[in-house]
Amino acid sequence: GINAEYGKQWYQRRVREARLRREYLYRKGLEEQERATAERKAALKAAVEDGKKIPTELKKDAVSLQKQMDMDGAADTTLNSVDDEYLYAGVKDPKLVLTTSRSPSSRLKQFTKEVRLILPNCQRLNRGHFVVKDLVEACKSNDVTDLIILHEHRGVPDGLVICHLPYGPTAYFSLSNVVMRHDIPNVGPVQEIYPHLVFHNFTTKLGKRVESILKHLFPVPKDSSKRVMSFVNSEDYISFRHHMWTGPNSNIELSEVGPRFEMKLYEIKQGTLEQNHVNTEWKLRPFMNTARKRYFIGDEETDS
């Protein structure tokens, strides 16, 4: 009957998702191999150009690596998972779902409404009694590109999770210094046009990864858009600001429309939110906090 047909469709969908996940992991494995080979080629090329002795670990494969380099020429043959994860970015607008942790406070509900105004093509969902697994499956079946979950501690928003679908990655941020729209003096009205994005000091490999995760939440704006959102990294704290601008090119006036908050990355996983046994791409370890001069997302900025 109806239940048997539904069960059959559910089983076929799960089998298909498992197969696509295996293919994705296979491509990720190929990428790691290609990256390791590219690093060995670069080390060999640097040794030859500088007239230095070939490193011991490259002597055995030096001839084969040189042949590969001759065949590759100047082309970059390394694979890039970002191209695969965000295959339709810029071609197809992102489709977002925004929700909260369970039993949200009134302040978190208000913050969720303001975050929804930040993100175009975003639908706010009341969490209710949904478990994470059901949330992710519902989003996948409706072609949602990103699931965003806000967390709180005693009424203060303190966490943001961005899960890219269908394969990942999942980024975990802590939130601090959250200021709502009604707490900003002389706040202007919000226009829901596609915004221009400004990213500052995302210079490292991890910084580029974080920039990619954040910027693909937004569709491509029109040149005439007068809405701008800034992600400014300073000492691994990412400051978010939201402005509208008016006036001719020679005399631009910015008006903040809020909200504003600081984000700090503490983990990136390669899978989706409901998967427990997935590789951790990067994680902020406790011992990292002792290295005061060490920054992971961008360079140290000095006051000029």
Side-chain angles (χ1 to χ4, degrees):
I2 297 176
N3 291 336
E5 183 65 25
Y6 175 78
K8 182 179 179 181
Q9 293 177 359
W10 179 86
Y11 176 75
Q12 289 175 344
R13 186 170 70 248
R14 294 302 296 270
V15 169
R16 179 175 178 271
E17 287 180 0
R19 175 176 57 81
L20 293 174
R21 174 71 182 166
R22 286 196 302 270
E23 292 176 358
Y24 171 71
L25 292 175
Y26 174 72
R27 290 194 297 270
K28 290 283 287 186
L30 282 182
E31 178 192 349
E32 293 298 328
Q33 295 177 11
E34 289 282 343
R35 185 178 291 116
T37 303
E39 291 175 355
R40 290 163 62 85
K41 289 178 183 177
L44 177 62
K45 183 178 180 181
V48 172
E49 290 179 348
D50 296 341
K52 295 181 180 179
K53 187 176 179 180
I54 296 176
T56 306
E57 64 271 14
L58 298 179
K59 285 183 178 179
K60 184 178 179 181
D61 302 324
V63 176
S64 61
L65 287 173
Q66 185 62 49
K67 287 182 179 178
Q68 291 180 32
M69 290 164 60
D70 293 339
M71 293 176 64
D72 294 341
D76 183 8
T77 59
T78 56
L79 301 174
N80 188 353
S81 63
V82 173
D83 294 336
D84 188 49
E85 292 164 352
Y86 299 100
L87 185 63
Y88 298 106
V91 177
K92 189 176 179 182
D93 286 348
K95 184 179 179 182
L96 314 179
V97 166
L98 174 67
T99 188
T100 64
S101 53
R102 288 190 177 178
S103 303
S105 65
S106 59
R107 184 172 172 82
L108 184 63
K109 289 179 181 178
Q110 180 61 33
F111 182 61
T112 305
K113 292 177 182 178
E114 296 187 6
V115 172
R116 197 209 68 77
L117 293 175
I118 291 173
L119 300 168
N121 303 330
C122 180
Q123 181 178 358
R124 185 170 60 88
L125 180 69
N126 291 329
R127 176 66 182 268
H129 296 287
F130 285 114
V131 296
V132 170
K133 185 177 180 182
D134 294 340
L135 272 175
V136 173
E137 285 191 3
C139 290
K140 285 181 179 179
S141 62
N142 287 279
D143 296 325
V144 172
T145 59
D146 292 271
L147 171 64
I148 303 169
I149 300 181
L150 295 171
H151 295 270
E152 66 178 341
H153 178 69
R154 295 187 177 182
V156 179
D158 72 337
L160 171 68
V161 182
I162 301 173
C163 176
H164 184 66
L165 300 173
Y167 307 123
T170 301
Y172 299 80
F173 298 89
S174 61
L175 296 180
S176 58
N177 302 328
V178 175
V179 180
M180 305 267 191
R181 272 175 46 80
H182 61 266
D183 294 327
I184 298 175
N186 303 321
V187 67
V190 177
Q191 296 183 20
E192 295 192 55
I193 52 178
Y194 294 171
H196 294 287
L197 303 177
V198 176
F199 288 91
H200 176 68
N201 196 24
F202 290 77
T203 54
T204 64
K205 182 180 176 182
L206 178 64
K208 296 296 182 185
R209 180 64 158 160
V210 174
E211 179 181 341
S212 175
I213 292 171
L214 293 174
K215 77 179 181 182
H216 286 111
L217 297 175
F218 299 88
V220 178
K222 294 182 178 179
D223 293 339
S224 59
S225 174
K226 294 189 176 183
R227 187 184 186 194
V228 60
M229 296 183 184
S230 308
F231 296 87
V232 179
N233 172 50
S234 177
E235 299 183 1
D236 285 351
Y237 283 91
I238 303 169
S239 300
F240 172 81
R241 297 294 184 270
H242 179 196
H243 293 87
M244 299 293 296
W245 62 272
T246 56
N249 294 334
S250 58
N251 188 20
I252 293 177
E253 294 183 3
L254 284 176
S255 61
E256 186 174 2
V257 293
R260 67 168 80 145
F261 50 84
E262 322 291 327
M263 307 164 59
K264 186 174 178 67
L265 176 74
Y266 66 88
E267 189 173 15
I268 297 179
K269 288 187 175 181
Q270 291 184 349
T272 50
L273 193 57
E274 88 286 6
Q275 296 171 338
N276 296 321
H277 305 290
V278 293
N279 293 331
T280 299
E281 188 171 318
W282 184 85
K283 188 172 184 178
L284 181 65
R285 305 287 181 182
F287 67 86
M288 293 178 178
N289 291 327
T290 62
R292 300 214 171 174
K293 297 283 186 180
R294 190 177 176 194
Y295 302 115
F296 301 97
I297 295 178
D299 299 324
E300 180 182 5
E301 293 189 326
T302 56
D303 296 332
S304 57

